[in-house]
Amino acid sequence: QQNSLAEVGFATIANRGRAMMIRAHTPYTIRFRVWTEAFKTATQLDGLILITIDGKTETRYEHWCGKNPEFVKYVRVWGEAGTVTIKSTTTPKLANRGVQCMMVGYALDHPGDCYRMWDPKTKRVHETRDVIWLKRMFYEKPVQEPEVSPMEFDGVDLPSDKMGEGETAEEDTAEEKEVSETEKSGGEVSDEAK
C-alpha cells in the first residue's frame, strides 16, 4: 500500500509476460518452465518505452544509462523458433549439428545479436548468436483451412445425393411447371397446386 507505483509496475510486467506466452501459443504446462524468461524479457522491453522527462522524449534506458542496450537492433518475437548450432568435439559425424529451440530473451552480457534460446529436450537455455531462424513460432497452432466447396446452382449442379430430403430433380421441374402455369393464368392458383 505504501508503494502503489511499484505494485502497478509489477502487475503490468506480469501481464505483458503472460501475453507474450499466450501469443507464442506456449502450452500451459510449459509456461511454468519459461515464465521467468518471459517476465525478464518483458522487463527488458519495458525499458524501450518512450517517456518524456524534463521536456526530453527518450526511452527509459536513454534517460537512465544514456544509451539503449545493444539488443535493440536485433529485437525478435518472443517464442520464435530457431535452430541453434551445437558445437561439440564428441558429436558423431552423421549426427545433427543443431537443435530446435525457442527464443526466450536477450543475452545482456554479450553482443546485441546473442539470444537466449530455450531447449525443450534438455530444459536448458543456450546463450548464442549461432541461430538459423525458422520464421515461425516454436509452438504453432495447427492452421485449419476452410473447406471450399465448388460453386453450386440450384437444380443444375446438384447430384441426387445433395438434394434435400425426399426431393428429386423431377419434383423440381414439376414445381417449376406449376409456377409458370400460375404466371400465365394471371396469378390464380389451381386447387391441385394448393
Side-chain angles (χ1 to χ4, degrees):
Q1 293 178 354
Q2 296 297 319
N3 197 355
S4 65
L5 289 177
E7 295 298 328
V8 169
F10 293 147
T12 302
I13 295 298
N15 289 338
R16 288 180 184 161
R18 275 191 297 275
M20 289 190 318
M21 290 189 286
I22 290 168
R23 167 60 183 90
H25 309 297
T26 309
Y28 186 73
T29 55
I30 301 297
R31 289 182 197 175
F32 291 101
R33 298 185 189 274
V34 297
W35 72 270
T36 55
E37 296 290 337
F39 287 20
K40 188 188 310 181
T41 304
T43 304
Q44 292 170 350
L45 295 177
D46 186 60
L48 298 178
I49 294 175
L50 293 173
I51 59 172
T52 303
I53 298 176
D54 296 333
K56 290 175 73 177
T57 303
E58 295 178 331
T59 64
R60 294 179 185 187
Y61 284 118
E62 289 174 319
H63 281 297
W64 184 258
C65 304
K67 63 176 185 166
N68 282 324
E70 293 183 27
F71 73 82
V72 170
K73 299 174 191 169
Y74 305 99
V75 173
R76 298 200 71 96
V77 178
W78 193 92
E80 189 173 355
T83 302
V84 175
T85 304
I86 304 296
K87 298 175 182 171
S88 174
T89 57
T90 60
T91 306
K93 283 191 180 240
L94 299 179
N96 290 336
R97 296 288 191 243
V99 62
Q100 281 194 16
C101 296
M102 179 172 80
M103 189 283 223
V104 293
Y106 305 96
L108 295 181
D109 297 332
H110 298 280
D113 59 346
C114 286
Y115 299 94
R116 293 179 58 81
M117 304 293 289
W118 182 71
D119 185 354
K121 292 180 181 171
T122 62
K123 313 283 190 283
R124 294 185 178 205
V125 174
H126 301 281
E127 289 189 353
T128 182
R129 67 170 54 162
D130 296 327
V131 181
I132 298 171
W133 298 104
L134 302 178
K135 296 186 172 106
R136 65 173 176 82
M137 300 306 281
F138 189 81
Y139 292 105
E140 279 188 310
K141 278 190 170 181
V143 177
Q144 295 179 350
E145 296 183 15
E147 185 177 318
V148 178
S149 61
M151 195 164 65
E152 298 175 349
F153 296 100
D154 292 334
V156 178
D157 291 339
L158 294 176
S160 60
D161 63 330
K162 292 264 185 177
M163 290 288 177
E165 295 177 14
E167 289 184 7
T168 61
E170 295 167 0
E171 291 176 2
D172 286 343
T173 55
E175 289 176 10
E176 289 173 10
K177 287 179 184 177
E178 289 177 5
V179 170
S180 63
E181 289 176 9
T182 305
E183 291 173 358
K184 289 179 186 176
S185 64
E188 296 178 13
V189 180
S190 65
D191 292 334
E192 294 174 6
K194 290 181 184 175

